[in-house]
Amino acid sequence: MDRLLAKEIVAIAQKYQAGSIVLPKLGDMREIVQSEIQAIAEQKCPEYIEDQQKYAKHHPG
């Protein structure tokens, strides 16, 4: 996934003849996305931990 994203970023930069590419620091992005998915799972299935885990598994970040 990272390679595909990087490839697309470079392609866009080349298309617009950018002199440089600046990206935000993404160190905690995985944890942020997983937390958001877990919060949604808890809202959808508030009393069923097993269903929350199934939801989170089928909606990876």
Side-chain angles (χ1 to χ4, degrees):
M1 183 67 157
D2 291 339
R3 290 181 186 187
L4 292 174
L5 188 57
K7 184 177 178 180
E8 288 302 314
I9 291 170
V10 171
I12 291 169
Q14 289 173 336
K15 178 180 178 180
Y16 292 100
Q17 299 177 348
S20 61
I21 300 172
V22 179
L23 299 174
K25 186 175 179 182
L26 302 174
D28 297 325
M29 186 58 70
R30 182 181 302 256
E31 289 83 12
I32 292 168
V33 170
Q34 288 175 342
S35 295
E36 289 175 2
I37 291 170
Q38 183 62 35
I40 293 168
E42 289 172 5
Q43 289 176 349
K44 289 187 177 287
C45 313
E47 298 178 15
Y48 301 101
I49 294 175
E50 185 176 316
D51 290 344
Q52 292 173 13
Q53 292 170 342
K54 287 180 185 177
Y55 178 88
K57 185 176 181 178
H58 293 297
H59 295 87

